[in-house]
Amino acid sequence: MKRREFLKTAGVGLAASTVAAPAIAQSMPEIKWRMPTSFPKSLDTLHGGAETLAKAVREATDNKFQIQVFAAGEIVPPFQVVDAVQNNTVECCFTAAYYFIGKDMTFALPCSAPFSLNSRMQNAWQYNHGGIALMNEFFKKYNMIGFPAGNTGCQMGGWFRKPIRELADLKGLKFRMGGFAGRVLGKLGVVAQQIPGGEIYSALEKGTMDGAEWVGPYDDEKLGLYKVARFYHYPGWWEGGTQVHFFVNLERWNALPAAYKAVLQSAAAHTNVWVQAKYDAENPVALKRLVAAGAVLTPFPQTVMEACLKAANEVYAEESAKNPEFKKVWDNMVAFRNDLYQWWQVAEYSYDSFMIRTRPRG
Amino acid sequence: MKRREFLKTAGVGLAASTVAAPAIAQSMPEIKWRMPTSFPKSLDTLHGGAETLAKAVREATDNKFQIQVFAAGEIVPPFQVVDAVQNNTVECCFTAAYYFIGKDMTFALPCSAPFSLNSRMQNAWQYNHGGIALMNEFFKKYNMIGFPAGNTGCQMGGWFRKPIRELADLKGLKFRMGGFAGRVLGKLGVVAQQIPGGEIYSALEKGTMDGAEWVGPYDDEKLGLYKVARFYHYPGWWEGGTQVHFFVNLERWNALPAAYKAVLQSAAAHTNVWVQAKYDAENPVALKRLVAAGAVLTPFPQTVMEACLKAANEVYAEESAKNPEFKKVWDNMVAFRNDLYQWWQVAEYSYDSFMIRTRPRG
């Protein structure tokens, strides 16, 4: 350190040692929170996001604010983490909001819904089109406040024992899938079932299931599904850019000093970009390994995609007719989506098109 | 220190003197930094990113760590902010690294270079493929450490008085553009010139320039270029996902308490997602206004794009042959790009393709 700087900082330090401690003590209290996630530890992208968030908070507060992370089921079952936050059993959680559409379909929209926003559009909507505030009006009913904290990017359509060649192939198909998209596919004859990740492999092997969707190459590889259902369909039109959330109990949030609120928000945003970056860095190499191991990349036929879009729009209309809160959020989101894709196709998409077309030449 | 402030802090200090004061004083000192940007205040996306970063830091530290933001030229000329950080004239700056390719072409790579990574890929490379660490080995020579702190997404190709229909139209074209891409276009007969943003309009109006590139719809609209050069070409193949940086003088960085280092890193990442989100939210509506005002959206012909790619690859090869540091970073990046686009075309691109094709039906 240069002498002049040393003198300057030393002076500051001296003055500081006699001052400002109680304000600091008040503004930087020691806090310990517990954060269950809805993900197993093996998902080092999603569960890893929770660890990244906790680390950022811990380090930014000089270890004063400690958030202990628990994997799915360690202290709270994976699909009850929102209830635990709502009831103040835990202070916060890390999850995908669409796991909670049983309470209200609106939970799907800031997370992922069929033919909705891609990853960057979801961020644009959340941070700069009032999405965070709009959703927090809704989350308030569940005694929570929430912030975007990760994104998977567009997911894959899943693993199928036989390829989907035409619409008729969907009739009677037993497919592992939950929630919103299950309702859409139900209109087209699919028998959608929700079974835990750990049971998918044997269900496909035995033939009690015809197909199953999970996430994308990096996460899917761990389940080994390519060994029992080798047709890997794309795109996952029900998950164009699935965003995960960091939820905090509202009373706990309100009791925090302002500095800690700011630390949590930046840590969540940091985690948001980190999770997407990790998926984007890991998926390409995982995809290569999967294809080398026998996975057969198979696009959904456009006729099937069109039928799914039509069915999805029916579900959106049905839900909007009976759920004003859902309608309010979806109307806002779909108008934004339509504007955004109009711009997207100009620079972003034509750039990607050219890069994809010329890639084989390096 | 002002008397009132002194009294305030002194009083506070008295009460706290029995609790943990020295540790706290050490970990949360009062710090004031100055951060010049390379952008005018009117660019509320890029200059606004600097304000967002400073706010996040201030709030997360209970106003203890204050970063004062200065627009281009207020205290440091826009293209000398890196020198000012290197020389410790200021503690940090907010800029686009490619403004400094006069020092070394390697500066372009973590920012934007022709036919390189798109926005999400740039993040994936930085946060999860060792990019941040790799670049900081390089920035060390300039006595700085840097972090990604924003992205414009894919930019537009700029405004032209006459449309580019074929390769021959580039010959002798006087085009406002700097640096790396100027060198590429020079191989195709373009006379690339760097002139300040404020002079572009009159140069196009008088016809002393034939075209000019700036950023994208939202920023371009402010310059009013559509009035004097209405052909709006795309995509900006030299800026597929331009990332901006937050640079800190290395001695200042090393002298920071660990908590402040963590605060700065999360604030930069927060700003990174915020800037991209703002561009993505603002560009679509700006584009509509521009088209309504007479801008003519015009894709670059594929033959022209192909010729530019070939010329760019020549420049990459020339620079790599004489600059080992550039070669090291570019080889790493281009291998990553090729893998990433192989995956990108599967889920992400086919999803966007379908959404763009069906958008007119809402």
Side-chain angles (χ1 to χ4, degrees):
Chain A
M1 188 184 272
K2 291 171 190 154
R3 188 179 139 77
R4 261 178 73 190
E5 270 178 75
F6 173 75
L7 288 174
K8 201 163 67 180
T9 27
V12 170
L14 190 63
S17 63
T18 57
V19 295
I24 292 170
Q26 214 170 13
S27 68
M28 301 280 293
E30 296 214 353
I31 291 184
K32 285 193 201 302
W33 277 10
R34 297 186 305 166
M35 177 161 72
T37 82
S38 299
F39 313 109
K41 280 206 175 101
S42 59
L43 292 185
D44 59 357
T45 40
L46 296 173
H47 183 79
E51 299 281 8
T52 297
L53 192 152
K55 181 169 178 279
V57 172
R58 188 169 66 239
E59 292 182 351
T61 60
D62 208 17
N63 297 309
K64 299 224 160 13
F65 192 166
Q66 302 264 356
I67 300 178
Q68 194 179 356
V69 180
F70 297 91
E74 282 188 348
I75 57 168
V76 179
F79 304 135
Q80 290 173 32
V81 294
V82 154
D83 304 82
V85 171
Q86 185 178 358
N87 303 332
N88 207 2
T89 310
V90 293
E91 296 83 3
C92 59
C93 71
F94 193 89
T95 188
Y98 65 9
Y99 291 144
F100 305 93
I101 58 171
K103 301 175 187 298
D104 189 320
M105 284 283 273
T106 314
F107 270 102
L109 300 176
C111 177
S112 191
F115 303 105
S116 185
L117 310 176
N118 71 18
S119 166
R120 264 175 53 186
M121 294 176 187
Q122 182 69 256
N123 280 337
W125 186 77
Q126 295 276 4
Y127 294 96
N128 273 286
H129 197 69
I132 290 177
L134 188 63
M135 290 320 305
N136 279 329
E137 282 176 33
F138 170 77
F139 294 139
K140 203 173 179 177
K141 293 200 311 191
Y142 298 87
N143 200 26
M144 306 191 302
I145 186 167
F147 301 98
N151 204 303
T152 65
C154 186
Q155 299 193 6
M156 290 294 284
W159 301 89
F160 294 74
R161 297 175 73 217
K162 290 179 190 167
I164 304 298
R165 299 267 185 236
E166 52 183 342
L167 201 51
D169 293 336
L170 295 181
K171 292 262 189 298
L173 188 90
K174 286 165 286 172
F175 191 59
R176 186 267 174 198
M177 164 187 270
F180 201 142
R183 200 167 141 188
V184 173
L185 281 171
K187 285 184 177 276
L188 301 170
V190 171
V191 183
Q193 285 176 267
Q194 184 64 285
I195 61 169
E199 293 171 25
I200 299 175
Y201 187 96
S202 71
L204 285 171
E205 195 178 30
K206 287 178 200 154
T208 54
M209 293 290 251
D210 302 310
E213 66 93 38
W214 189 236
V215 184
Y218 182 64
D219 291 341
D220 289 9
E221 190 184 21
K222 292 170 189 162
L223 296 185
L225 306 184
Y226 60 95
K227 294 177 201 159
V228 284
R230 67 195 178 102
F231 297 98
Y232 200 17
H233 269 292
Y234 64 90
W237 48 261
W238 51 91
E239 314 224 24
T242 304
Q243 194 151 61
V244 292
H245 267 76
F246 169 57
F247 286 119
V248 179
N249 174 277
L250 204 51
E251 290 143 35
R252 298 287 186 156
W253 174 262
N254 290 334
L256 285 178
Y260 281 7
K261 288 181 184 169
V263 165
L264 289 180
Q265 286 177 83
S266 278
H270 190 166
T271 305
N272 191 6
V273 67
W274 182 89
V275 171
Q276 181 66 80
K278 185 162 174 72
Y279 270 114
D280 287 341
E282 302 285 5
N283 275 327
V285 271
L287 181 70
K288 280 195 202 182
R289 288 191 300 259
L290 285 168
V291 170
V296 182
L297 281 171
T298 317
F300 282 125
Q302 291 293 299
T303 49
V304 170
M305 294 281 288
E306 293 274 356
C308 293
L309 174 61
K310 187 166 168 288
N313 283 339
E314 286 168 20
V315 174
Y316 281 121
E318 287 161 17
E319 190 65 27
S320 293
K322 66 181 183 194
N323 184 340
E325 201 127 30
F326 179 91
K327 184 180 188 323
K328 182 174 146 195
V329 177
W330 179 240
D331 285 354
N332 180 312
M333 204 169 230
V334 80
F336 187 68
R337 178 199 73 182
N338 294 346
D339 274 2
L340 236 156
Y341 266 115
Q342 192 172 39
W343 154 240
W344 198 267
Q345 73 186 309
V346 179
E348 206 67 45
Y349 183 79
S350 65
Y351 184 78
D352 285 339
S353 298
F354 184 81
M355 296 306 290
I356 287 168
R357 191 167 64 72
T358 58
R359 186 196 53 78
R361 286 178 272 149
Chain B
M1 187 183 273
K2 289 173 191 153
R3 189 180 138 75
R4 263 178 71 190
E5 271 176 74
F6 175 75
L7 288 174
K8 196 165 70 184
T9 30
V12 171
L14 192 61
S17 57
T18 56
V19 291
I24 292 171
Q26 216 169 14
S27 68
M28 300 281 293
E30 296 212 354
I31 292 184
K32 286 192 201 302
W33 277 9
R34 298 186 304 167
M35 176 161 73
T37 82
S38 300
F39 313 108
K41 280 206 174 103
S42 58
L43 291 185
D44 59 357
T45 39
L46 295 173
H47 183 78
E51 299 282 7
T52 297
L53 192 152
K55 181 169 177 280
V57 172
R58 188 169 67 237
E59 293 182 350
T61 60
D62 208 17
N63 297 310
K64 300 230 157 12
F65 193 168
Q66 302 264 356
I67 300 178
Q68 193 179 358
V69 180
F70 296 91
E74 283 188 348
I75 57 169
V76 179
F79 304 136
Q80 290 173 32
V81 294
V82 154
D83 305 82
V85 170
Q86 185 178 358
N87 303 332
N88 207 4
T89 309
V90 294
E91 296 83 2
C92 58
C93 72
F94 193 90
T95 189
Y98 64 9
Y99 291 144
F100 305 93
I101 57 172
K103 300 176 189 297
D104 188 322
M105 284 283 273
T106 313
F107 269 102
L109 300 176
C111 177
S112 192
F115 304 103
S116 185
L117 310 177
N118 71 18
S119 166
R120 265 176 52 186
M121 294 176 188
Q122 181 69 256
N123 280 337
W125 185 77
Q126 295 276 5
Y127 294 97
N128 273 287
H129 197 69
I132 290 177
L134 188 63
M135 291 319 306
N136 279 329
E137 282 175 32
F138 170 76
F139 294 139
K140 202 173 181 178
K141 292 201 311 192
Y142 298 87
N143 200 26
M144 307 191 300
I145 186 168
F147 301 98
N151 204 302
T152 64
C154 186
Q155 299 193 7
M156 289 293 285
W159 302 89
F160 295 74
R161 298 175 74 218
K162 291 179 188 165
I164 304 298
R165 300 267 186 236
E166 53 182 342
L167 202 51
D169 293 335
L170 295 182
K171 290 262 188 299
L173 188 90
K174 286 165 287 172
F175 191 59
R176 186 267 175 197
M177 164 186 269
F180 202 143
R183 198 168 141 188
V184 173
L185 281 171
K187 286 183 178 275
L188 301 169
V190 172
V191 184
Q193 285 175 268
Q194 185 64 283
I195 61 169
E199 293 171 26
I200 299 175
Y201 187 97
S202 73
L204 285 171
E205 194 178 30
K206 287 178 201 154
T208 53
M209 293 289 251
D210 302 310
E213 65 93 37
W214 188 237
V215 184
Y218 182 64
D219 291 340
D220 288 9
E221 191 183 21
K222 292 169 189 162
L223 295 186
L225 306 184
Y226 59 95
K227 295 176 201 159
V228 285
R230 67 194 179 102
F231 297 98
Y232 200 17
H233 269 292
Y234 66 90
W237 48 261
W238 51 91
E239 314 225 23
T242 305
Q243 194 151 61
V244 292
H245 267 77
F246 169 58
F247 286 118
V248 179
N249 174 278
L250 204 51
E251 289 145 33
R252 298 287 185 159
W253 173 262
N254 290 333
L256 285 179
Y260 281 8
K261 288 181 185 169
V263 165
L264 289 181
Q265 285 177 84
S266 278
H270 191 166
T271 305
N272 191 5
V273 67
W274 181 90
V275 171
Q276 181 66 81
K278 185 161 174 73
Y279 270 113
D280 287 341
E282 303 284 5
N283 276 327
V285 273
L287 181 70
K288 281 194 201 182
R289 288 191 300 260
L290 285 168
V291 170
V296 182
L297 282 172
T298 316
F300 283 124
Q302 290 294 300
T303 48
V304 170
M305 293 282 287
E306 294 274 354
C308 293
L309 174 61
K310 186 167 170 288
N313 283 339
E314 287 168 19
V315 175
Y316 281 121
E318 287 160 18
E319 190 64 27
S320 293
K322 66 182 181 192
N323 184 340
E325 201 128 28
F326 180 91
K327 184 179 188 323
K328 182 174 146 194
V329 177
W330 178 241
D331 285 354
N332 179 312
M333 203 169 229
V334 81
F336 187 68
R337 178 199 72 182
N338 294 347
D339 274 1
L340 236 156
Y341 267 115
Q342 191 172 41
W343 154 239
W344 198 267
Q345 72 186 309
V346 179
E348 207 65 46
Y349 183 78
S350 64
Y351 184 79
D352 285 339
S353 297
F354 184 80
M355 296 305 291
I356 286 168
R357 192 167 63 73
T358 58
R359 186 196 54 77
R361 286 177 271 149

